[in-house]
Amino acid sequence: VGAMLVVFDVSRRWFGPAAGLFALALMIVYPHGIVWGARVRMYTLLYLFVPLLAYTFFRLAIDLSNQRRLAAATILLGLALFVHNWVVLLVPMLFVGVLVIVWHSNRQALRRWHRWLPWFGVIAGLAMLSLYVQSLWIPTEVTASQNRGVQGIVSALVERLDFAGGTAEFFSQFLTDNLFNLLIVAGTMLAGLALPWLFTHAQSGETDRRYFWSMGFLYILFIGTAVEFILFLEPLLKQPRYASPLLVLAFIILGGWLALGLSLISVRWQLNSSRQTLLVCLLVLLLLAGFGALSAQQVPRLFFDGLPAVGYDRAFQYIQQEAGPNVPVLSPLPAAGILYLSNPQYF
């Protein structure tokens, strides 16, 4: 629910109320959001943090002197890094996006780059610390958790580097076998072809320049993080649930494009406010009906097919059979312990 509200508010702040409603409609019927929300997993926290991070860093890039925004961006990124190490993939693209926006809006700040070195050090330190902490329980036969310190961090990173391995299977699971995801990704990429047109119209004043730079920033995050995901993660981690936060960015992008198209149609056809509102409502209903039908096909498959993949049955069956009375069990999934074992004492 929080992720839905954040997606709506971030889209509204970037592209207007209509964009917020379009993005919210897609988020409401998002199969991964439904499945992982029902199973109480950390992926739903990623759906909350990813749009917050994107918007906060974008606003920071516009005004680097805003200390509150700098503190908010640092705290949000620190929290997100300890939610899931997937966020490490987002960090480089956040910095690339910030550099692009700063280059456009405040090039003088680039000449004072040395002032930002301490902040870069803090961010890098948080990323390394999160990788190290999470490397302590990586479920692999040969793992960097056997090491400690800098060597453990480096080993954990090297273990997960596998250039393009398992990509074909990932595309099959995430896109070919999931029409919802395929349409969202295809729509986002096809809409991106209009970026040069948007830039031209922004330069001539026909559209708001902020629209183009906002879109450009979001596409940097979406495409850049997707490329990192495909190239640098080991096959074990190239699974649909690990790529699912990217589609939250796609919802915001598509909401922005739909809102822009609606505004252009309204100007051309000279629609009054009531007719514009009616058109927005109709589009929202179409999104809910069309993508809701696709989502209904995917939710059962994602929910039940994903269960053996994450080893729930085997892990909980072992605990139930082997653990004696009052034996503490350590797990990073406390909520799952309550749901699957009906035992609030399962840590």
Side-chain angles (χ1 to χ4, degrees):
V1 174
M4 293 178 192
L5 294 175
V6 167
V7 166
F8 168 77
D9 191 53
V10 166
S11 302
R12 179 186 64 82
R13 290 172 182 268
W14 249 322
F15 306 117
L21 290 173
F22 297 145
L24 175 62
L26 293 171
M27 190 66 195
I28 286 173
V29 296
Y30 186 29
H32 285 279
I34 295 170
V35 168
W36 300 118
R39 288 170 65 173
V40 200
R41 294 299 304 274
M42 81 295 286
Y43 305 109
T44 49
L45 277 177
L46 285 179
Y47 306 155
L48 173 72
F49 275 110
V50 166
L52 279 176
L53 283 169
Y55 186 75
T56 303
F57 271 79
F58 178 79
R59 297 301 303 175
L60 175 65
I62 293 175
D63 183 10
L64 289 172
S65 62
N66 191 316
Q67 295 299 314
R68 287 186 178 181
R69 201 162 286 150
L70 179 65
T74 307
I75 293 171
L76 277 174
L77 185 57
L79 291 172
L81 283 167
F82 285 91
V83 166
H84 200 285
N85 55 11
W86 180 92
V87 180
V88 173
L89 294 175
L90 191 63
V91 173
M93 294 303 108
L94 283 171
F95 281 111
V96 171
V98 167
L99 286 174
V100 170
I101 300 302
V102 171
W103 176 82
H104 163 68
S105 60
N106 186 11
R107 298 184 188 181
Q108 294 294 329
L110 293 178
R111 298 177 182 178
R112 302 189 295 272
W113 59 269
H114 56 279
R115 296 185 181 181
W116 297 96
L117 288 179
W119 184 59
F120 292 151
V122 170
I123 299 300
L126 286 171
M128 288 293 113
L129 182 60
S130 72
L131 283 173
Y132 173 68
V133 170
Q134 293 176 76
S135 74
L136 298 179
W137 54 270
I138 293 174
T140 55
E141 294 181 4
V142 180
T143 173
S145 62
Q146 299 168 356
N147 301 320
R148 296 296 183 268
V150 175
Q151 183 181 357
I153 297 173
V154 174
S155 299
L157 286 170
V158 172
E159 277 188 7
R160 268 147 174 69
L161 291 179
D162 190 336
F163 297 96
T167 301
E169 184 179 357
F170 164 73
F171 278 128
S172 175
Q173 293 177 349
F174 191 65
L175 297 176
T176 309
D177 298 336
N178 192 321
L179 187 57
F180 183 102
N181 292 357
L182 180 62
L183 289 177
I184 293 295
V185 172
T188 303
M189 298 306 295
L190 288 173
L193 298 177
L195 279 173
W197 171 87
L198 185 60
F199 178 77
T200 303
H201 283 252
Q203 293 296 100
S204 63
E206 296 180 41
T207 58
D208 194 332
R209 290 187 177 186
R210 291 175 298 178
Y211 219 101
F212 169 78
W213 293 104
S214 300
M215 277 294 184
F217 182 82
L218 285 168
Y219 270 101
I220 288 172
L221 298 186
F222 179 75
I223 296 176
T225 307
V227 171
E228 288 183 283
F229 182 91
I230 292 168
L231 292 182
F232 300 127
L233 287 192
E234 62 172 317
L236 179 64
L237 295 179
K238 287 178 183 173
Q239 299 183 29
R241 64 180 185 272
Y242 293 128
S244 61
L246 288 173
L247 263 66
V248 179
L249 293 174
F251 297 156
I252 299 172
I253 292 171
L254 288 174
W257 282 117
L258 287 172
L260 177 60
L262 178 64
S263 66
L264 294 175
I265 290 172
S266 300
V267 171
R268 184 170 183 177
W269 292 354
Q270 298 181 346
L271 300 179
N272 57 33
S273 59
S274 60
R275 290 186 177 181
Q276 290 180 36
T277 302
L278 178 61
L279 188 55
V280 169
C281 292
L282 287 174
L283 283 173
V284 168
L285 289 175
L286 285 173
L287 289 173
L288 288 173
F291 282 95
L294 296 176
S295 178
Q297 298 173 8
Q298 295 297 326
V299 168
R301 185 178 66 82
L302 289 174
F303 192 93
F304 294 107
D305 288 356
L307 201 62
V310 291
Y312 281 147
D313 288 344
R314 183 175 60 183
F316 291 129
Q317 184 179 16
Y318 176 83
I319 293 168
Q320 287 174 325
Q321 292 176 352
E322 303 295 331
N326 302 319
V327 173
V329 178
L330 180 64
S331 168
L333 307 174
I338 297 174
L339 290 174
Y340 286 88
L341 295 178
S342 302
N343 181 8
Q345 300 302 316
Y346 180 89
F347 296 99

